[in-house]
Amino acid sequence: MRRNLPLWISVAGILIQLAIQLAICESAAAANLKTSTTTKYRITGVVKDALGRPIKHAALRLQASNGRVVAHSSSNDAGEFSFSVGARGPYAVVATKEGFKTATAIVTVSTKGAAPLVLAMEAEKSVSLAVAATRLDKARNSLSPDTGGSKYTFSEQAIQQLPQGANTPLNQVILQAPGVAQDSYGQIHVRGDHANLQYRINGVQLPEGITGFGQVLSPRFAQSISLLTGVLPAQFGLRTAGIVDIKTKDGLLDNLADVDLYGGQRGTTQPSFEYGGSKGNFSYFVTGQYLGTDRGVEPPTPGPTAIHDTSNQGAGFGYFSYFLNSTMRLSLITGTAVNHFQIPANPNQPQVFVLAGVPVYPSAKVRDNQFEQNYFNVLALQGTVGEDFDYQVAPFSRYSAVTFNPDHTGDLIYNGAAARVFRSDWGNGFQIDTAYHGVTDHTFRLGGYFDAERAEIDNHESTFKIVGGVPETTPISFVDDLALQTWIYSGYIQDEWKLTKQLTFNYGVRFDLYDGLVRADQASPRVAAEYKLFKGTTLHAGYARQMTPPETELVLVSDIKQLEGTTGAPPSKGNGTPTVERDHLFDAGVTQEVIPGLNVGIDSYYKKAADLIDEGQFGPALIFETFNYAKGRVWGVELTGSYTHENIYAYENFAYSVAQGTQVESGQFNFTPAELSYINSHYIFLDHDQTFTNSAGAVYNWHGFALSIDGIYGSGLRSGFANTGNLPFYIQVDAGITKRVPLPNNRGVLEFRTAIVNLADRTYLVRNGTGIGVFADQYGPRRALYGGIKWELPFTKPASVQAP
């Protein structure tokens, strides 16, 4: 037994020692676990490229101060990453990704943790021009917010899907938007205003031109067309019934070349082309079109073929851009439209006056003509400074002219006066817009606008003198020439404040000074809010003070005095000077995504106006005269809806509107004494008021064919004594079929198009020659069949170029 004792003792000692060591190890492990749990720190950050965009799937490693790698991570889709460390002190975060240079940032972990990091990774190659152009486009768009208003956008695809595609005149494209009413001579009215539209190209407001028959701008060069209405931010002023905001195609982003041959009935021929591309830092896009038709103006006869209604119209547009560096570009926008119109004759009319030596002159032989010219240029310097400041500086120039050449014999016999009228307007100025994003949840915008216009108004008129109540048969002539200079100065400041993720608040003020027919100024506060109540539900509401200057068209008191006692004398003698309109506008609405693809909305507005501006055609020349009502009121409601699902798209827009005025206070000579007396004691409907309007359409893609249909409805414009009546309602439905066929051997694509205008061939009056400022009947288009072939050429390829 004694021999075994030492062995037993030895084994027991070994077991005791093992138990003690195991306990020590468990205690140490528990202590280490407790320590790591209580002293863990997080290092977070985001990885971005040189343009501030997040970089996903970048590889990141964390190095201690001795250079040893202690952790690995990668950035998510938002560029975000994080590490966990157990000790305080300095660390290095290293980011790597193929195509980018390695980026390193130093961070110190203290008892309070570590500040978030931003790692900017520079591309191994320079930023591509396409990326730079996209970023600058986004920055330019940020200069023009639409918070609080209503925005209806036609994309390039939506324009192409109209029955006539890009051959559709701009006014007919906008007619598909809610709250837009059709008028004669290509005019449109938005929310009860007479014209009062502002046209912008790439954010730059074009100065006004003389109103005429022709469309100066074409959907062909548009990447998108938006109609902004309602309470708009402070940078939008002067013309505020609607903002037609056009974003142009860009040769860098829209490399294309095509020729389009389109035409059909009514002697219609409409060839056009588009060409865009780039070379180095320079990009270009140009387009041109010609339109020849035997139905250029709405005629006074209902038949499909009008008498003396041929029109020849040509238009061109160019956009040229040069990158000075990756954050700055210089752009030139240039356009022209030259149009000639025959004024349709109205046959079988009785001769009213006698012209010596001309016993008989049938009204079907009357040959009036109108010639229109429009030219505009915009030079824009646009860019960004860092990530927080965007700007655009844009000088502009526009010249427009309208010449009405009468049928001297015919106009004297049927109207008692024949006037050759020439009006031109040359506007020059500049626009500045800036935006600062450096304060969290705020975007501050500051800018200004200046425009100097010179209008030349020449009137050479022949008329008959009245002696003893009987017109003479030998005409006498008058000449009146006028040059009118106007100046407009505007400035604005505003803040777009994102109070929460759901609520955005835009407030600001603009100041306008108009010095022309009169001198007037006004500070106009604006305030609007947009609230995302639920997912898919957005509410907006706002208030705007507005000031609208009169158009440059004017008839002087001297005109009226010269014409006294002649057959060309106006109905009344009053001729107050047109003045500026001042408004209070209220707007509220809601949009709702009912189910994916189905969106509906409702918007309501009310405008209270002082010195409400209206216009009318008070003679055979299509040149509108401006006048004011002392008081005005306009209100209405708009309903919109659209549905998109797989290969079908449909939309429906309905609007109710009332526009009224009372007490004519300028241009009274255009009214009869009876009308003036009635209007001075009654609110009357404005001549362009249309109570109900509706637009609807659908596109269905079926086995490679695009089938499209759209239509407009109007309850009828005003007519009769003091606009107390209205015309019957009208409906016009257009339809089209389009098929694209790729050519073999990479020779491009052919697009075949067939369109029918006024599918049901409904005969309707747009105007009936009565009502305030309406001179003659005008009928809407009759059914006509058109077709076209467009060849998209294959030789343009996206350029692989680098920014400087």
Side-chain angles (χ1 to χ4, degrees):
M1 294 295 293
R2 290 181 180 178
R3 293 178 182 175
N4 296 331
L5 183 60
L7 178 62
W8 178 82
I9 293 173
S10 299
V11 171
I14 292 172
L15 292 175
I16 291 171
Q17 290 178 11
L18 289 174
I20 292 172
Q21 291 179 5
L22 180 62
I24 292 172
C25 290
E26 290 178 350
S27 176
N32 288 335
L33 178 63
K34 182 177 180 181
T35 300
S36 63
T37 301
T38 57
T39 61
K40 184 178 290 186
Y41 302 96
R42 288 178 61 81
I43 299 174
T44 62
V46 62
V47 185
K48 296 183 178 181
D49 64 12
L51 297 181
R53 301 169 304 176
I55 298 177
K56 60 182 179 180
H57 307 317
L60 295 112
R61 63 179 184 269
L62 184 68
Q63 296 178 348
S65 57
N66 58 7
R68 183 171 63 89
V69 177
V70 295
H72 291 273
S73 182
S74 63
S75 58
N76 60 17
D77 290 348
E80 300 168 338
F81 65 88
S82 66
F83 292 102
S84 295
V85 296
R88 300 187 297 272
Y91 292 87
V93 179
V94 182
T96 59
K97 184 176 174 64
E98 184 178 357
F100 292 86
K101 297 179 181 179
T102 301
T104 304
I106 305 299
V107 61
T108 300
V109 178
S110 65
T111 56
K112 296 182 179 180
L117 296 175
V118 176
L119 276 78
M121 300 190 71
E122 181 182 354
E124 292 179 349
K125 296 182 179 180
S126 299
V127 179
S128 70
L129 283 180
V131 172
T134 301
R135 189 198 177 200
L136 286 177
D137 285 348
K138 182 179 179 181
R140 183 178 62 204
N141 295 342
S142 76
L143 295 171
S144 303
D146 49 60
T147 305
S150 298
K151 183 177 182 179
Y152 197 90
T153 299
F154 302 89
S155 65
E156 181 183 358
Q157 180 183 5
I159 295 170
Q160 291 294 335
Q161 290 177 339
L162 293 171
Q164 298 192 78
N167 301 294
T168 309
L170 178 61
N171 63 314
Q172 294 182 25
V173 174
I174 301 173
L175 270 177
Q176 302 303 316
V180 183
Q182 177 183 219
D183 204 343
S184 56
Y185 305 143
Q187 287 195 79
I188 54 175
H189 308 295
V190 178
R191 290 193 167 189
D193 268 283
H194 190 288
N196 192 22
L197 294 178
Q198 178 184 140
Y199 292 88
R200 289 191 167 216
I201 298 181
N202 290 346
V204 180
Q205 178 181 342
L206 292 182
E208 298 170 7
I210 303 295
T211 303
F213 297 121
Q215 299 293 306
V216 177
L217 305 177
S218 167
R220 196 175 305 280
F221 66 78
Q223 188 181 78
S224 68
I225 301 173
S226 297
L227 176 63
L228 283 66
T229 57
V231 171
L232 299 172
Q235 70 192 96
F236 298 103
L238 304 177
R239 305 290 169 211
T240 52
I243 310 296
V244 180
D245 188 18
I246 302 175
K247 302 295 188 297
T248 67
K249 295 177 182 177
D250 183 333
L252 182 65
L253 303 177
D254 302 282
N255 281 251
L256 56 88
D258 64 56
V259 291
D260 190 352
L261 300 177
Y262 185 79
Q265 291 182 281
R266 315 291 175 256
T268 302
T269 304
Q270 190 172 354
S272 63
F273 75 91
E274 294 177 86
Y275 182 56
S278 60
K279 184 177 181 180
N281 300 331
F282 178 70
S283 63
Y284 52 88
F285 173 82
V286 292
T287 181
Q289 68 178 40
Y290 163 79
L291 172 61
T293 177
D294 291 337
R295 196 180 176 101
V297 178
E298 290 90 344
T301 53
T305 303
I307 302 172
H308 193 255
D309 199 7
T310 298
S311 175
N312 295 284
Q313 307 172 42
F317 175 84
Y319 174 81
F320 306 93
S321 176
Y322 183 80
F323 276 84
L324 303 175
N325 55 53
S326 62
T327 61
M328 184 186 299
R329 67 179 169 190
L330 186 66
S331 302
L332 173 65
I333 300 170
T334 182
T336 181
V338 179
N339 307 316
H340 177 267
F341 295 91
Q342 294 179 342
I343 309 302
N346 195 2
N348 304 318
Q349 299 301 304
Q351 294 190 186
V352 181
F353 301 95
V354 177
L355 177 63
V358 186
V360 178
Y361 197 90
S363 61
K365 292 180 60 177
V366 175
R367 297 292 184 262
D368 295 329
N369 296 272
Q370 186 153 301
F371 181 63
E372 304 170 2
Q373 304 174 73
N374 272 277
Y375 311 91
F376 63 87
N377 294 281
V378 177
L379 186 66
L381 178 65
Q382 187 248 329
T384 64
V385 179
E387 298 182 6
D388 297 330
F389 186 74
D390 306 322
Y391 65 89
Q392 180 165 269
V393 181
F396 55 76
S397 179
R398 176 170 178 169
Y399 175 80
S400 62
V402 172
T403 304
F404 177 80
N405 294 304
D407 182 318
H408 190 269
T409 300
D411 285 5
L412 280 171
I413 291 175
Y414 290 96
N415 300 321
R420 182 187 181 276
V421 181
F422 172 80
R423 298 204 175 183
S424 68
D425 186 271
W426 188 20
N428 298 277
F430 62 87
Q431 178 179 319
I432 300 175
D433 297 288
T434 64
Y436 179 68
H437 313 276
V439 179
T440 303
D441 299 328
H442 290 266
T443 299
F444 297 98
R445 296 181 174 92
L446 177 70
Y449 176 87
F450 167 76
D451 180 28
E453 291 187 41
R454 181 175 177 83
E456 183 179 337
I457 305 169
D458 299 335
N459 185 29
H460 297 244
E461 184 162 351
S462 296
T463 185
F464 297 113
K465 190 173 182 180
I466 299 176
V467 180
V470 179
E472 295 184 341
T473 60
T474 301
I476 57 175
S477 297
F478 300 95
V479 177
D480 192 82
D481 296 335
L482 167 72
L484 174 66
Q485 181 72 47
T486 64
W487 308 83
I488 296 177
Y489 308 84
S490 301
Y492 69 88
I493 184 170
Q494 62 179 325
D495 174 26
E496 188 171 19
W497 181 13
K498 195 170 185 61
L499 284 84
T500 68
K501 290 183 178 181
Q502 292 78 29
L503 178 61
T504 301
F505 188 61
N506 191 304
Y507 60 99
V509 64
R510 67 175 290 118
F511 177 81
D512 297 294
L513 169 63
Y514 169 80
D515 189 0
L517 300 175
V518 295
R519 183 180 175 89
D521 60 72
Q522 178 174 289
S524 304
R526 309 281 178 86
V527 58
E530 185 175 275
Y531 183 65
K532 300 185 184 299
L533 182 61
F534 306 112
K535 182 179 180 180
T537 303
T538 302
L539 294 84
H540 70 264
Y543 161 78
R545 184 83 165 116
Q546 300 175 154
M547 185 184 100
T548 302
E551 301 281 359
T552 55
E553 289 90 343
L554 175 68
V555 174
L556 297 180
V557 175
S558 59
D559 291 336
I560 298 173
K561 290 182 177 179
Q562 289 185 79
L563 293 172
E564 284 183 5
T566 71
T567 54
S572 300
K573 296 182 179 180
N575 188 22
T577 301
T579 187
V580 300
E581 176 182 327
R582 305 175 190 270
D583 305 327
H584 296 277
L585 176 65
F586 304 87
D587 182 278
V590 59
T591 59
Q592 171 70 55
E593 183 182 30
V594 180
I595 59 175
L598 177 60
N599 294 275
V600 297
I602 183 172
D603 198 87
S604 61
Y605 58 90
Y606 175 78
K607 183 177 82 170
K608 181 180 180 182
D611 305 314
L612 176 70
I613 290 177
D614 201 356
E615 296 176 348
Q617 180 201 355
F618 297 98
L622 181 71
I623 298 177
F624 290 86
E625 304 296 344
T626 298
F627 63 94
N628 297 86
Y629 293 98
K631 300 177 183 178
R633 56 192 186 191
V634 181
W635 69 88
V637 178
E638 298 169 355
L639 302 173
T640 64
S642 64
Y643 178 70
T644 304
H645 180 69
E646 296 179 351
N647 57 348
I648 188 171
Y649 169 73
Y651 65 91
E652 166 78 18
N653 300 308
F654 176 81
Y656 164 78
S657 176
V658 174
Q660 297 178 324
T662 185
Q663 300 173 18
V664 178
E665 63 176 2
S666 66
Q668 296 93 335
F669 61 90
N670 294 306
F671 300 79
T672 66
E675 283 181 318
L676 287 175
S677 176
Y678 181 83
I679 297 170
N680 283 341
S681 58
H682 296 80
Y683 267 98
I684 67 164
F685 291 98
L686 307 185
D687 75 284
H688 54 270
D689 175 81
Q690 192 151 217
T691 307
F692 299 106
T693 56
N694 190 84
S695 62
V699 179
Y700 180 66
N701 294 294
W702 178 75
H703 297 290
F705 290 88
L707 312 177
S708 60
I709 187 169
D710 63 43
I712 56 173
Y713 159 85
S715 59
L717 295 171
R718 294 290 160 175
S719 63
F721 172 82
N723 296 335
T724 52
N726 63 278
L727 297 173
F729 75 90
Y730 62 86
I731 298 175
Q732 180 180 321
V733 177
D734 304 338
I737 303 175
T738 305
K739 173 67 174 178
R740 293 173 59 83
V741 180
L743 295 175
N745 302 320
N746 193 32
R747 294 180 179 176
V749 177
L750 289 181
E751 181 182 88
F752 298 88
R753 180 182 299 273
T754 301
I756 301 178
V757 172
N758 197 354
L759 184 64
D761 197 24
R762 296 179 63 98
T763 301
Y764 66 91
L765 275 166
V766 181
R767 294 287 193 180
N768 74 344
T770 68
I772 295 171
V774 181
F775 184 76
D777 293 352
Q778 293 115 32
Y779 281 87
R782 297 294 299 272
R783 180 168 55 208
L785 176 65
Y786 303 99
I789 301 175
K790 181 169 71 173
W791 181 17
E792 297 178 1
L793 301 169
F795 56 78
T796 55
K797 301 293 182 183
S800 179
V801 292
Q802 304 298 322

